[in-house]
Amino acid sequence: MRSTANLLLEREPELARLDAARAAARAGSGGVVLVQGPAGIGKSRLLAEAAQRAGREPTLLLTARGGELERDFAFGVARQLFEPVLLALGAAERAEMLQGAAALAAPVVGFGDDRARSPGGDRLFAVMHGLYWLCVNLGATRPLQICVDDVHWADDQSVQWLAYLARRLAGVPAIVLLAARVDESTPASAALTAIAAEPVAHVMEPRPLSADATARLVAEVTGVAPVAEVAAAIHERSAGNPFVLRELAASLAQSGVEVDRPEDAERVAGLLPGTVARNVLARVARLPEPAVALVQAVAVLGNDVQLVDAARLAELPDRVAADAMDDLVATGILVGGTPLRFAHPLMREAIYQDLPTGRRLYEHRRAAEILQARIAPERIAAHLLQCEPTGDPASLAVLRRCGARAIERGAPATAVRYLLRALDEQPGHDVRGQVLRELGVAEARVGRAEAVGHLEEALDLATTPGEVGATTSELALAFGALGRLPDAVDALERGVDALAGRDRELELRLEGELGAIGQLTVAATPRVSERLHRVAPALTGETAGERLVLGSYAYLRSMELAPADELSELAERALSDGLLLHDQTADSAVFYMLMYVFFRAERHELTDRWLAAALEESRSRGSLLGTSVALAVRGHLRFLRGQLADAEADAQTSMDGQVEAGWASVLPLSVAVVADCLLERGEAAAAIRLFDETGLGGALPELQMFRWAQAARGRARVAGGMAEDGIGDLLGCQLEQMGARSSIALLWRTDAALALTAQGDAAEGLRLAREQLELARAAGARTLGVALRTLGLLSEADEARRLLVEAVEVLDGSSARLEHARALVELGSHVRRAGQRGDARDYLDAGYELARRCGSRILVGRAADELAASGARMRRAALTGRDSLTPSERRVAEMAAGGMSNPEIAQALFVTRKTIEMHLGRAYRKLEVSGREHLHDALSVQEREPAETR
């Protein structure tokens, strides 16, 4: 039988497409080619040819192959791609490739320790982000060609990363070639489907070979040109599948069929579909016994098998194993060289499936034992998952270690599989609780309801205070992930009581968590408030537990409208010069509660400084979660201060990040800010659509976070002509039963009062406005100013003017610039209607200018109309300079003006370098500058367009 390994027939269109994709990548335009089809159609051969061609070009080739046994090895395929390339570099060059955000990927590609990373955050996204930037760094040296064969068997995390990469290939000199089997046994994953749908992706489905190509291939295999009748019969039975065709031709040659005799066509027609498997097994059976033992061992061990490991499993001396390998290569079952690999996955499947079930279980157990000493634990665990448990402590240790590593790498679903299997090893009483806790943590990360039962059992088995504290905290998080916050509060209360008198620090940590979570629920707030008032006042902030309690208490006191000095002192005690941020990371809810405390105390410089620190901390870990939360909170606080462009940029970036990652930790808040900014531009319809597009258009949970979205949705609906629905939203924001006047900050009464009055219910509107003012007397300037303005608009004559004047005075000098502008415009309008046009123009002109600086187009328009009515001649100014920048353009321009490079900005915002270049180019044109060195001055200019000419 002749070798046909290098024969490629009727694949000219596919090869041309691959050549074009490589050429585009060299020119800087990345893309994906997904080669898919049934087993044996020639996918691997196309990738191999593409790799050979890349080797003749200045291209960096990265290759990997998925394997059935290694699908639970988180980022295993990614490691195959990058580890050999990085190993080949010198230490200095490797450090250069792993700099910046790429450092986040170092542990999963073999150059770092997962446990050395900071805790918290969304590890899966961080690793994917790091791998993307590793590609960018490598691509800066020469174009990349990434080839992944059998991607249908790749681990889920690597495929998710490939999908992440596919969305960011614009401007990256890289081509990604993927080969995937498509048949009933390998259903397409969602990530592969997403890759295929990307604009940069091209899907190739190699066609079966024609009858002419079949005849040529048969001639190459047998050495004899087939007659038409035999060629047609072989073509029919093989369906033109190249691998099946080769195996059929080889089987015919070995069984004595004469392909040049027309009468032998009937013998071909009698072949059954199982011929390929039978032929492979027959070829194996004809080999010497050592070769049979070795190939069976390779089938058990899986992909990329080391000869020494296969020899040990086959119980062969090294020299005998080497000879057996040569026999298998000569027969065409294995490819030449090491590590050992089957010529085609179907061969491995035929040999593996031929082993009796009991034999397979036994061999996987032995394989795990053989690999213990030097192989990555995930490769050992792959075999443990395939064999029966024996109560082996070493196996238990491997499975637990793999579970921990999977969690650290952002693969909790994989960790669940390892840890469920670990429980099957029947760990002793002292270890079972630990395994159950680890399993519960992993299950909670993927939203499995079983997490609660496993954590509760682990808590029952806990004996030390440390075990009680850790398990209780994880149980509360599991309840929270399942949307069961009242149960989380109950669990934390039980945990605090269980630790009373046993470990003061752990008790305080749970108390702090209880205070934070409890204030997010309705029913629990009164009892949580009582606990915090009892525990917190005497604390100094010396320990992590004390800082958590103080942070929760400070937020409670802000909701209770405590004096600003008290709030500042409590918040600074809780933060303890950054120790709380260090302890809890920028993912901490308590940290952001403290930002609202500082805002309530009018300590805006501290709010800005700490939020900048949170962004730096979260970005250093590649935490999209921490970054999105920090930006959402900063955007909200900036909106409240009247910095609309900055607020929208922050909130939009936060919203985009959460949509990208597929979760919604603070989506209600970021959407509320973006919607309110749209309303300030007069785009009510767009604001209403935003809620529907983000899944916030229907019923919302009874949690504080969603009240921000509900209030903003109510304002949008009222402004968009849906008054009844909007008023319903606003009235639904009442949460007074929480035991604190937290809904004061939402100011729902003021919006509802104006809307009700406009709909003809003046009495109810006036009642709500008066109620709001009474409550707001103890609040900050912004809240009081809004309440005064609202009641002034609903009052008569002199009373209205008195209230509006007081609103202007209260807001003058405060940080609430937009509310100050509104009060000025409303006062000016009132004075104009009273006939005092000159005085009115002073108020209106000041309001116009302040509204313009804030970026509120709708208020600028209203002020301009009032000024025109007062007799001023208006000259409307078009948007120019910084005011003309979109939120994204403004964000990027400000970061560039601050000295950050394009890659640094892209890494910080979790976008591509090309996106940054696009935004900067547009910003340069709008600001009329030639480069980044002029950005700072251009952004600092605050040109005053005259509101009137007299």
Side-chain angles (χ1 to χ4, degrees):
M1 182 180 72
R2 297 182 181 181
S3 172
T4 60
N6 295 318
L7 187 63
L8 263 176
L9 298 173
E10 298 185 334
R11 294 295 183 249
E12 291 79 11
E14 288 84 354
L15 292 172
R17 165 60 65 177
L18 293 172
D19 289 342
R22 273 201 320 282
R26 289 196 301 273
S29 181
V32 178
V33 178
L34 174 60
V35 187
Q36 63 182 27
I41 200 65
K43 304 179 296 296
S44 299
R45 186 65 193 85
L46 281 169
L47 259 63
E49 177 64 22
Q52 289 180 11
R53 296 187 180 194
R56 299 192 289 267
E57 301 168 351
T59 299
L60 182 59
L61 180 64
L62 289 73
T63 63
R65 186 177 185 179
E68 284 183 281
L69 283 181
E70 297 171 9
R71 297 185 70 175
D72 288 321
F73 190 161
F75 288 107
V77 162
R79 184 162 183 159
Q80 286 185 55
L81 289 171
F82 293 104
E83 186 176 32
V85 174
L86 294 172
L87 277 172
L89 300 177
E93 192 176 3
R94 185 186 308 129
E96 184 179 354
M97 293 300 102
L98 289 170
Q99 68 179 342
L104 297 164
V108 302
V109 295
F111 294 94
D113 186 352
D114 295 284
R115 291 167 294 182
R117 303 301 307 165
S118 299
D122 39 335
R123 292 293 299 136
L124 175 61
F125 184 88
V127 174
M128 294 196 302
H129 184 57
L131 288 170
Y132 165 75
W133 281 99
L134 179 54
C135 282
V136 173
N137 292 348
L138 289 169
T141 62
R142 48 187 162 148
L144 300 182
Q145 180 165 307
I146 298 172
C147 296
V148 182
D149 199 1
D150 293 334
V151 70
H152 52 278
W153 282 329
D155 60 278
D156 291 341
Q157 294 73 36
S158 291
V159 180
Q160 288 182 63
W161 167 68
L162 288 168
Y164 180 86
L165 176 63
R167 295 193 294 272
R168 290 164 172 76
L169 279 175
V172 179
I175 175 177
V176 179
L177 307 182
L178 308 173
R181 183 190 297 185
V182 178
D183 57 31
E184 309 79 32
S185 64
T186 56
S189 71
L192 273 178
T193 302
I195 291 172
E198 285 296 323
V200 299
H202 179 82
V203 178
M204 292 196 315
E205 297 181 343
R207 298 175 62 84
L209 297 182
S210 67
D212 288 344
T214 297
R216 182 179 169 188
L217 188 57
V218 171
E220 289 289 335
V221 173
T222 64
V224 179
V227 295
E229 293 85 351
V230 173
I234 294 175
H235 183 259
E236 180 184 356
R237 297 307 295 162
S238 68
N241 183 293
F243 176 76
V244 176
L245 198 157
R246 287 189 185 95
E247 290 301 312
L248 284 173
S251 178
L252 291 173
Q254 292 162 4
S255 61
V257 174
E258 299 290 342
V259 298
D260 56 352
R261 290 163 36 120
E263 57 269 27
D264 279 3
E266 294 182 3
R267 296 178 64 183
V268 176
L271 295 176
L272 297 174
T275 296
V276 171
R278 288 200 305 273
N279 185 48
V280 171
L281 295 174
R283 286 158 66 185
V284 170
R286 287 192 290 269
L287 292 170
E289 186 174 334
V292 175
L294 186 70
V295 79
Q296 290 175 341
V298 176
V300 169
L301 289 167
N303 269 354
D304 296 333
V305 178
Q306 297 300 319
L307 178 58
V308 62
D309 297 324
R312 288 187 63 192
L313 186 59
E315 299 180 334
L316 297 174
D318 290 346
R319 178 57 188 272
V320 175
D323 291 340
M325 180 188 76
D326 292 339
D327 290 339
L328 291 163
V329 171
T331 313
I333 293 176
L334 297 184
V335 297
T338 58
L340 305 183
R341 179 179 294 180
F342 282 95
H344 196 281
L346 288 176
M347 292 182 169
R348 187 254 172 191
E349 291 177 31
I351 295 168
Y352 182 77
Q353 294 300 327
D354 189 56
L355 293 172
T357 301
R359 169 83 180 278
R360 289 203 300 266
L361 295 175
Y362 172 74
E363 294 296 346
H364 279 299
R365 167 63 64 184
R366 289 191 59 236
E369 294 169 353
I370 289 169
L371 299 175
Q372 287 275 7
R374 59 181 186 80
I375 300 297
E378 287 83 359
R379 295 188 185 275
I380 303 167
H383 295 285
L384 293 175
L385 291 173
Q386 300 296 322
C387 66
E388 294 294 323
T390 62
D392 176 31
S395 298
L396 176 63
V398 167
L399 291 163
R400 290 183 66 192
R401 183 182 176 194
C402 290
R405 283 163 60 121
I407 287 287
E408 290 157 357
R409 295 175 180 183
T414 297
V416 169
R417 290 194 286 274
Y418 288 137
L419 294 166
L420 283 171
R421 177 62 180 78
L423 279 181
D424 291 340
E425 292 291 341
Q426 298 299 314
H429 183 83
D430 55 334
V431 178
R432 180 176 174 81
Q434 299 172 24
V435 178
L436 283 167
R437 183 172 72 247
E438 294 159 6
L439 174 59
V441 169
E443 290 174 323
R445 301 279 178 90
V446 293
R448 283 171 56 99
E450 294 88 340
V452 169
H454 288 136
L455 287 168
E456 287 179 332
E457 185 181 349
L459 191 57
D460 291 338
L461 295 172
T463 56
T464 68
E467 291 174 344
V468 171
T471 308
T472 298
S473 183
E474 294 294 350
L475 178 59
L477 288 174
F479 277 130
L482 295 170
R484 297 168 58 181
L485 286 184
D487 290 325
V489 171
D490 292 342
L492 287 167
E493 282 188 312
R494 291 194 302 270
V496 172
D497 294 341
L499 289 171
R502 299 175 65 189
D503 189 313
R504 176 62 172 166
E505 174 62 10
L506 288 175
E507 181 184 352
L508 287 172
R509 290 192 184 204
L510 293 188
E511 192 80 69
E513 293 175 20
L514 173 59
I517 294 177
Q519 291 185 74
L520 298 177
T521 64
V522 174
T525 298
R527 68 180 194 266
V528 167
S529 170
E530 187 275 328
R531 295 183 72 104
L532 287 172
H533 277 292
R534 185 176 69 249
V535 175
L539 302 180
T540 63
E542 292 181 4
T543 70
E546 290 190 2
R547 291 188 283 273
L548 273 178
V549 174
L550 283 169
S552 297
Y553 182 60
Y555 185 73
L556 174 68
R557 293 295 291 142
S558 73
M559 293 298 98
E560 294 173 342
L561 306 180
D565 289 345
E566 177 189 339
L567 296 179
S568 289
E569 191 276 332
L570 279 172
E572 293 198 49
R573 214 190 318 165
L575 281 168
S576 296
D577 291 326
L579 289 178
L580 183 139
L581 181 59
H582 178 270
D583 297 337
Q584 306 298 323
T585 78
D587 303 340
S588 166
V590 171
F591 174 82
Y592 296 106
M593 287 178 168
L594 289 170
M595 297 304 100
Y596 282 98
V597 173
F598 277 131
F599 179 84
R600 163 74 176 78
E602 298 278 339
R603 299 292 302 276
H604 303 305
E605 74 292 345
L606 283 177
T607 306
D608 292 339
R609 177 161 64 85
W610 283 117
L611 284 171
L615 284 168
E616 182 179 355
E617 193 278 336
S618 60
R619 285 166 176 165
S620 73
R621 291 181 291 113
S623 172
L624 183 57
L625 170 62
T627 301
S628 295
V629 176
L631 286 172
V633 171
R634 190 172 72 174
H636 185 215
L637 296 181
R638 283 178 163 179
F639 180 85
L640 297 179
R641 289 157 65 177
Q643 300 167 284
L644 300 189
D646 290 332
E648 186 173 3
D650 278 341
Q652 184 69 56
T653 303
S654 171
M655 189 173 73
D656 292 345
Q658 292 176 82
V659 172
E660 165 71 34
W663 40 253
S665 297
V666 287
L667 190 64
L669 180 57
S670 53
V671 169
V673 174
V674 173
D676 278 336
C677 289
L678 288 171
L679 290 179
E680 293 302 325
R681 294 207 298 267
E683 300 177 28
I688 293 170
R689 284 197 305 273
L690 179 63
F691 289 101
D692 293 330
E693 291 167 357
T694 53
L696 298 172
L700 299 175
E702 288 294 317
L703 300 173
Q704 257 194 16
M705 176 69 67
F706 288 90
R707 297 291 75 73
W708 296 112
Q710 185 167 330
R713 189 177 70 183
R715 290 189 288 272
R717 286 173 167 174
V718 169
M722 302 168 60
E724 185 176 349
D725 291 338
I727 291 170
D729 276 339
L730 293 167
L731 296 178
C733 289
Q734 303 179 61
L735 292 177
E736 260 56 39
Q737 63 268 47
M738 294 183 69
R741 287 175 286 180
S742 55
S743 57
I744 298 298
L746 288 172
L747 296 174
W748 63 268
R749 289 180 184 81
T750 58
D751 296 313
L754 295 173
L756 284 165
T757 301
Q759 291 300 302
D761 195 349
E764 180 61 12
L766 190 61
R767 184 191 71 78
L768 286 175
R770 286 171 175 165
E771 188 176 89
Q772 180 71 41
L773 179 57
E774 181 182 352
L775 293 169
R777 288 291 182 187
R782 179 181 183 276
T783 302
L784 179 56
V786 173
L788 287 164
R789 171 179 59 81
T790 303
L791 186 56
L793 289 173
L794 303 182
S795 299
E796 299 291 336
D798 292 343
E799 177 66 7
R801 181 163 184 165
R802 182 188 67 78
L803 290 167
L804 290 170
V805 167
E806 187 180 355
V808 169
E809 292 172 347
V810 166
L811 292 166
D812 187 20
S814 76
S815 65
R817 299 187 307 160
L818 181 59
E819 293 304 337
H820 187 202
R822 285 198 180 100
L824 284 166
V825 171
E826 295 300 348
L827 176 57
S829 176
H830 179 83
V831 172
R832 179 193 64 78
R833 289 195 299 272
Q836 300 169 4
R837 300 171 69 185
D839 292 341
R841 281 195 291 270
D842 291 337
Y843 292 124
L844 292 169
D845 190 43
Y848 174 96
E849 172 58 16
L850 192 51
R852 190 188 69 80
R853 289 176 180 269
C854 289
S856 175
R857 297 179 196 172
I858 196 165
L859 187 57
V860 165
R862 172 161 162 67
D865 291 341
E866 286 292 333
L867 277 165
S870 73
R873 287 178 295 140
M874 296 300 302
R875 179 162 60 87
R876 299 288 182 92
L879 289 177
T880 60
R882 63 182 292 173
D883 292 337
S884 66
L885 300 180
T886 67
S888 296
E889 291 164 358
R890 182 178 178 127
R891 162 59 37 73
V892 171
E894 287 174 344
M895 296 174 81
M900 295 178 70
S901 67
N902 287 7
E904 288 171 337
I905 300 171
Q907 291 173 26
L909 297 180
F910 302 99
V911 297
T912 67
R913 188 161 53 188
K914 188 174 182 66
T915 299
I916 301 304
E917 293 168 355
M918 178 187 68
H919 287 322
L920 271 181
R922 291 173 178 170
Y924 292 156
R925 289 193 296 274
K926 291 179 180 180
L927 296 173
E928 299 181 346
V929 298
S930 59
R932 66 198 311 126
E933 65 272 15
H934 305 297
L935 280 175
H936 183 272
D937 291 341
L939 291 170
S940 300
V941 172
Q942 292 282 345
E943 292 184 333
R944 170 72 159 92
E945 289 290 345
E948 59 175 311
T949 55
R950 292 181 172 84

